[in-house]
Amino acid sequence: MSSDEYILDTPVVREFVAGVRGAIAAADSPEEACDVIRPAFASLLADQEWLPQTYRRPVPDSGMGGGIGQWALYRSEDGSLSLFALVVPPAAETPVHDHLAWGLVGLYQGTQDEEIFVRSSGELELTERRALRAGDFYALFPPHDDIHRVRTTSADTSVSIHLLTNDTGCVWRHSFDPETGAEASFRSGYANAACDAETAPPEGH
Ligand SMILES: [Fe+2]
């Protein structure tokens, strides 16, 4: 009996997750899985009904700072898949950060500017800047394009939907100083789901 966590337990989310899990199980590669999942992900971004306002709210004192809310919608029991909404208030921006897992990321509400970096010899180099609007999405295949930051450019909060193959809010990942390239370990956490009570990043992380 699976004890996957459907925090937003609705037929839309269950059907989407079932499709994703089937696609991942049947695919020979992350790229192939993402290709199969794309149409369902596009539908999720186009459907303005399924995500309650609760998960479109900013969160003061969040792990990302700036009132940025990370709302868990679904997590697999084994930590190999998560679906969450990231809410970024107007003019707020995330730290430069990585994700450490492949998946799909798309904008559901509002507009964002995104800056993508590569890190070489310890320094960050800006490689791409792109403007995103609702409905835009991309597949993420780390380490390619895994380091970025986003800033909300709309008058209202932006909401992006993340489908990633880890428990992104709870894994130790990295934030980066854009000037020096220095990295720091962080866990962003979720506003509405707990992580294991691990107090320090793993050795050598
Ligand atoms: Fe991100």
Side-chain angles (χ1 to χ4, degrees):
M1 185 70 191
S2 159
S3 58
D4 285 1
E5 216 179 330
Y6 287 89
I7 296 126
L8 176 57
D9 194 355
T10 64
V12 170
V13 172
R14 283 198 174 253
E15 189 183 330
F16 176 74
V17 170
V20 166
R21 300 205 75 161
I24 291 173
D28 290 329
S29 67
E31 289 80 4
E32 195 181 309
C34 285
D35 282 346
V36 174
I37 297 164
R38 275 172 188 275
F41 195 70
S43 297
L44 211 56
L45 295 179
D47 176 357
Q48 288 301 308
E49 301 298 320
W50 67 275
L51 188 67
Q53 290 299 325
T54 305
Y55 305 109
R56 307 187 194 199
R57 286 181 292 144
V59 176
D61 306 322
S62 69
M64 277 273 192
I68 294 165
Q70 186 165 344
W71 296 95
L73 304 173
Y74 162 82
R75 298 193 292 179
S76 69
E77 184 181 23
D78 64 359
S80 68
L81 189 65
S82 63
L83 180 71
F84 62 92
L86 189 79
V87 179
V88 183
E93 68 180 10
T94 65
V96 179
H97 64 272
D98 61 14
H99 311 82
L100 306 178
W102 62 267
L104 292 164
V105 181
L107 200 55
Y108 185 65
Q109 172 185 307
T111 56
Q112 292 179 343
D113 276 348
E114 180 189 24
E115 291 176 316
I116 299 160
F117 302 85
V118 291
R119 191 161 182 258
S120 60
S121 311
E123 302 213 342
L124 284 185
E125 182 191 340
L126 178 67
T127 57
E128 196 182 340
R129 185 177 273 139
R130 53 192 183 193
L132 302 174
R133 53 185 189 165
D136 290 344
F137 70 95
Y138 56 90
L140 185 61
F141 302 111
H144 185 69
D145 286 353
D146 192 33
I147 300 176
H148 78 161
R149 74 173 155 198
V150 297
R151 182 170 61 88
T152 294
T153 51
S154 46
D156 199 1
T157 53
S158 68
V159 179
S160 54
I161 302 299
H162 295 64
L163 174 74
L164 293 173
T165 49
N166 63 1
D167 187 4
T168 314
C170 292
V171 298
W172 284 101
R173 48 193 177 123
H174 307 97
S175 61
F176 302 88
D177 183 320
E179 305 305 324
T180 66
E183 70 174 26
S185 292
F186 88 114
R187 285 205 297 186
S188 55
Y190 297 104
N192 60 336
C195 300
D196 290 343
E198 203 182 340
T199 54
E203 207 60 36
H205 195 72

